[in-house]
Amino acid sequence: MSRKHDYSYYTKSKEAQQQLYKRSLLVVVISQIFSGAGLAAGITVGALIIQDMTGSESLAGMPIALSTFGSAFSAYLVGRLSQRYGRRFGLGAGFITGGMGAFGVIIAALTGNLPLLFIFLFIYGAGTSSNLQARYAGTDLANEKQRATAVSIALVSTTVGAVAGPNLVLPMGHVADFIGIPSLTGVFLLAGVAYVLAGLTFLLFLRPDPLMVAREIELVKKKDRDDAEDGEIVHSHKANKMGIWVGGIVLVLSHGVMVAIMTMTPVHMQHHGAALSGIGLVIGLHIAGMYLPSIFTGVLVDRIGRPAMVIASGITLAISGILAAYVAGGSVFWMSVSLILLGVGWNFGLISGTAIVIDSTDVLTRAKIQGSIDVFVALAGTVGGLASGIVVAFSGFSMLSFLGTYISLLLIPLIIWMRYKQKKSSVQTV
């Protein structure tokens, strides 16, 4: 067996572990650049394809809803596959499935088959969940001071494709016309190719699998510690349940608040006379606020701590909500400031919450727990998007913004409670 694929080589050498960590993170970066380009297809033209096929706007929300539900369902499956067979197979299968869904959307549009379109939009959601879970793959061999930074690097890499994707709608439409498929499906052609390339990147280059190596390292450590009489390894569960719950709640609340306010901002601005170009600028700056701070967020989370950055997330999201409630809905400048802060607050919450989850999980069960949490993150986005429309319809955009502020501020007592419990536990242990 070559040294490259000999797990024992990595269990014995910290230097080898760091080399594999850096190589694995490079693979994650390359795959995220590809997959980022596939994220925007459903949002960008999905509703337009539905309108073309039905002649009505009544089902225009179905692409986002179906792909989100598909994302939640596949998050569970990708987590379980990764737990059993490693990140390489779990994420590779998830991305390729998402790519097949994107190609299926093209077939459904060509044939005018609406039920088939709904099925493939659901399958397409697997690419979204795989893109989100890929942030974990770079952390399996990271030490405690590298984990949040590794998550940040993955998110920055996603930005490259996510920004390029929507801007390729027109060129991909020309490609679609050239090969004889509906022009609106050109961006799904891009998504299909991008997701498949992301999946192949994992399948071909994530060797040896960092999760499997991390698991082998943990088993060796356990074997060294255990004194089992018959030589059997005793698997004591080391997961910190409180940390898992707190990290999961941080992810769910920050994501739900972000989606809720973001979803209704274009409607709110349009009602106040803002031009479509202005609305597009605000949303574009919001997306930049979501991903670009990752350049420094991970370093901050690793250096000043997870709790401090969770508090920063709550405060930033709350300020965003207050601004959204009080500033003029037609002001591109002030709505941009509010939505940039909304994106930055989400970024702080995502990276700090993810780091807490990683810190709190045993490598032997980590992947399936991460997958389960991402199910709830996806569902929080769905609920936030649906509930935001109801709240605005009955109480207005200001009430939605105030609710977002209130929910965001709940992160502060949550993290203070966690710190109190940790200190109390450490005192009792001593």
Side-chain angles (χ1 to χ4, degrees):
M1 183 181 292
S2 67
R3 189 177 73 169
K4 183 179 178 181
H5 299 289
D6 185 358
Y7 288 173
S8 64
Y9 167 65
Y10 296 99
T11 62
K12 296 173 183 176
S13 170
K14 290 284 186 184
E15 183 182 350
Q17 291 170 24
Q18 281 296 297
Q19 288 175 350
L20 182 57
Y21 155 69
K22 292 175 182 177
R23 192 163 74 246
S24 299
L25 192 55
L26 177 61
V27 173
V28 171
V29 166
I30 294 170
S31 73
Q32 293 296 81
I33 291 173
F34 286 135
S35 65
L39 289 176
I43 300 171
T44 309
V45 300
L48 299 177
I49 292 174
I50 293 279
Q51 285 179 240
D52 271 9
M53 291 178 68
T54 63
S56 169
E57 295 182 356
S58 60
L59 296 176
M62 289 297 286
I64 294 177
L66 286 168
S67 62
T68 302
F69 279 121
S71 172
F73 180 72
S74 63
Y76 177 85
L77 295 180
V78 169
R80 290 305 188 273
L81 275 174
S82 298
Q83 182 65 46
R84 188 176 182 113
Y85 302 108
R87 302 285 188 195
R88 179 173 159 240
F89 285 106
L91 292 169
F95 276 126
I96 291 173
T97 300
M100 294 302 103
F103 292 134
V105 167
I106 298 172
I107 294 170
L110 267 174
T111 58
N113 191 321
L114 195 61
L116 196 64
L117 179 68
F118 290 162
I119 291 170
F120 282 119
L121 282 169
F122 179 84
I123 295 171
Y124 163 77
T128 305
S129 65
S130 300
N131 177 271
L132 188 60
Q133 283 198 47
R135 75 190 191 278
Y136 291 118
T139 68
D140 288 319
L141 291 171
N143 61 47
E144 191 173 345
K145 294 298 184 182
Q146 294 174 321
R147 290 168 181 166
T149 303
V151 174
S152 285
I153 291 170
L155 288 179
V156 171
S157 306
T158 302
T159 311
V160 177
V163 170
N167 293 311
L168 292 173
V169 171
L170 190 59
M172 289 307 299
H174 295 320
V175 173
D177 289 335
F178 179 75
I179 62 177
I181 62 175
S183 58
L184 284 175
T185 64
V187 72
F188 276 100
L189 179 63
L190 170 66
V193 172
Y195 280 157
V196 169
L197 286 175
L200 290 175
T201 299
F202 275 113
L203 287 173
L204 295 176
F205 299 110
L206 200 67
R207 299 168 180 260
D209 191 294
L211 180 61
M212 305 306 282
V213 172
R215 189 176 299 169
E216 188 67 24
I217 293 169
E218 183 62 23
L219 288 172
V220 169
K221 289 179 180 177
K222 284 179 179 289
K223 188 173 182 180
D224 290 340
R225 291 193 302 262
D226 291 338
D227 295 316
E229 293 180 2
D230 58 357
E232 181 181 350
I233 298 174
V234 179
H235 298 297
S236 57
H237 187 61
K238 293 170 56 182
N240 175 0
K241 290 184 179 180
M242 181 183 66
I244 293 170
W245 274 101
V246 170
I249 291 170
V250 170
L251 291 169
V252 167
L253 292 186
S254 58
H255 189 68
V257 168
M258 185 276 292
V259 171
I261 295 177
M262 177 196 68
T263 299
M264 294 312 298
T265 293
V267 177
H268 174 63
M269 291 184 67
Q270 193 172 48
H271 285 169
H272 285 79
L276 287 176
S277 58
I279 295 171
L281 176 63
V282 170
I283 297 301
L285 290 172
H286 166 67
I287 294 172
M290 288 173 62
Y291 291 103
L292 289 182
S294 301
I295 296 169
F296 59 81
T297 303
V299 176
L300 287 174
V301 173
D302 281 333
R303 289 189 178 177
I304 70 174
R306 284 69 162 140
M309 291 303 292
V310 171
I311 292 172
S313 171
I315 292 172
T316 307
L317 289 169
I319 293 172
S320 168
I322 292 170
L323 277 175
Y326 281 111
V327 302
S331 170
V332 172
F333 174 79
W334 283 111
M335 290 306 297
S336 293
V337 172
S338 173
L339 268 287
I340 288 171
L341 289 173
L342 184 70
V344 172
W346 173 86
N347 181 274
F348 289 173
L350 180 74
I351 296 176
S352 57
T354 298
I356 292 172
V357 170
I358 296 167
D359 293 342
S360 304
T361 48
D362 183 341
V363 70
L364 301 180
T365 57
R366 180 173 294 159
K368 70 177 183 180
I369 292 173
Q370 291 166 344
S372 297
I373 288 173
D374 278 358
V375 170
F376 289 102
V377 172
L379 292 176
T382 304
V383 172
L386 294 174
S388 65
I390 297 170
V391 171
V392 170
F394 285 95
S395 303
F397 185 77
S398 293
M399 180 56 71
L400 174 68
S401 301
F402 284 134
L403 283 173
T405 296
Y406 173 74
I407 293 171
S408 301
L409 290 174
L410 291 177
L411 294 175
I412 298 174
L414 173 70
I415 210 69
I416 292 173
W417 172 80
M418 185 188 80
R419 294 290 291 167
Y420 168 75
K421 296 291 285 185
Q422 286 176 337
K423 287 181 180 179
K424 186 177 178 182
S425 177
S426 63
V427 169
Q428 288 175 345
T429 303
V430 173

